[in-house]
Amino acid sequence: MPITLKSSREIELMTEAGRILEIVHNELEKALHPGMTTKEIDRLGEEVIRSYGCIPSFLDYNGYPASICVSVNDEVVHGIPSDRRTIKDGDIVSLDAGVIYKGYHSDAARTHAVGEISEEAKKLIQVTRECFFEGIKYAKEGNHLFDISSAIGKYAEDRGYGVVRALCGHGIGTSLHESPEVPNYIMNRKGVKLKAGMTLAIEPMINSGGWEVDWLDDDWTVVTRDHSLSAHYENTVLITENEPKLLTLNA
Ligand code: MF3
Ligand code: CO
């Protein structure tokens, strides 16, 4: 599939999709507390998404059974909400969500602390966020896609973290996943040239231990092979001739 360049009307719609998704994340962050089930998080997320006239883009995507991916501690991404799973003080919880607004998608993820967490966990959440900001320093027309990937990978590896390789960021627009794939690791090729109007979901997934991951028997939940902690940070980003626009942060 070719990479799509969005028109100014499409950018308007994606901007609104991003703004709403940021509100969803803010509401979820406010509500998060020890004792809450992961299903309650999903229910609240879906309710907020629909209250803005949007559709949860993950629900039924390839059979995924929820609106919000809730991944706890050694779970990397795509954790399935359950009313038998309660989050507790000291957990880290990655929330990944997407909305469709008038046919256009936005996609963003955050990892939150529940109550008091370890120094190791705090550092991991912080470095994962910093990886994203390191990557988008290169997200500008004229640079190459893998400038972003390599910057993210190097930042994490320099600090001793494991960079998940089995999953990537992606183009986004009228579909949740469009071309190109956006790896989070060091690439020894340049990748495509970035152009104004491209919209990318950039999403480092970083482990406090090794980079290797496994899938649980539910065929969705990705976990670290060594059961070290994992964090995820993602925004939908618009490439321009100047600084990138973060559609799902401070929008
Ligand atoms: N942010 C994830 C991604 O880009 C969310 C997809 S979850 C799914 O792949 F359930 F929709 F698959
Ligand atoms: Co994504």
Side-chain angles (χ1 to χ4, degrees):
M1 283 289 281
I3 299 174
T4 58
L5 297 183
K6 274 71 177 181
S7 67
S8 55
R9 174 62 183 155
E10 290 180 295
I11 290 167
E12 255 174 51
L13 296 172
M14 289 192 68
T15 299
E16 185 60 8
R19 191 186 71 82
I20 294 166
L21 183 53
E22 185 176 11
I23 296 170
V24 173
H25 270 295
N26 290 342
E27 292 298 318
L28 291 175
E29 181 176 12
K30 266 195 279 172
L32 211 59
H33 63 271
M36 193 176 197
T37 69
T38 56
K39 187 70 203 173
E40 286 173 310
I41 299 170
D42 178 55
R43 248 186 249 120
L44 173 62
E46 176 168 0
E47 195 179 295
V48 179
I49 291 169
R50 294 200 191 278
S51 76
Y52 285 89
C54 291
I55 298 167
S57 53
F58 299 174
L59 186 61
D60 294 327
Y61 181 85
N62 290 338
Y64 184 77
S67 300
I68 313 291
C69 298
V70 185
S71 309
V72 184
N73 296 336
D74 67 337
E75 296 170 356
V76 179
V77 288
H78 303 169
I80 298 178
S82 157
D83 31 44
R84 294 183 313 271
R85 184 78 186 268
T86 301
I87 58 170
K88 52 184 200 309
D89 191 86
D91 284 343
I92 65 169
V93 179
S94 300
L95 303 181
D96 191 353
V99 312
I100 310 172
Y101 174 75
K102 297 190 179 168
Y104 284 83
H105 291 251
S106 57
D107 184 3
R110 308 278 183 260
T111 300
H112 299 295
V114 181
E116 198 53 47
I117 62 169
S118 67
E119 281 310 309
E120 178 202 357
K122 279 183 200 164
K123 195 80 215 298
L124 171 69
I125 293 174
Q126 188 188 324
V127 167
T128 304
R129 196 172 184 279
E130 287 167 1
C131 280
F132 170 86
F133 286 98
E134 195 60 28
I136 63 161
K137 285 183 183 168
Y138 301 88
K140 185 183 284 195
E141 175 157 291
N143 285 342
H144 289 86
L145 180 67
F146 296 158
D147 296 339
I148 301 173
S149 305
S150 296
I152 292 172
K154 183 169 181 347
Y155 192 88
E157 283 182 6
D158 282 352
R159 285 157 185 77
Y161 290 90
V163 179
V164 174
R165 308 174 71 89
L167 299 131
C168 292
H170 48 92
I172 181 168
T174 52
S175 305
L176 173 59
H177 294 139
E178 293 187 353
S179 289
E181 270 200 348
V182 185
N184 295 303
Y185 41 87
I186 299 173
M187 301 288 291
N188 41 30
R189 287 171 290 130
K190 288 176 147 189
V192 295
K193 218 174 207 190
L194 296 172
K195 289 206 185 83
M198 287 182 180
T199 42
L200 303 174
I202 300 176
E203 50 178 319
M205 289 154 266
I206 307 295
N207 303 341
S208 62
W211 58 271
E212 298 90 342
V213 298
D214 289 306
W215 268 259
L216 295 185
D217 286 337
D218 63 18
D219 283 341
W220 278 105
T221 312
V222 180
V223 296
T224 56
R225 183 162 297 168
D226 58 12
H227 298 295
S228 63
L229 296 174
S230 188
H232 187 197
Y233 188 80
E234 173 181 30
N235 284 301
T236 299
V237 175
L238 169 67
I239 304 295
T240 77
E241 287 157 14
N242 303 299
E243 293 313 300
K245 263 192 81 183
L246 306 184
L247 302 184
T248 49
L249 186 69
N250 302 322

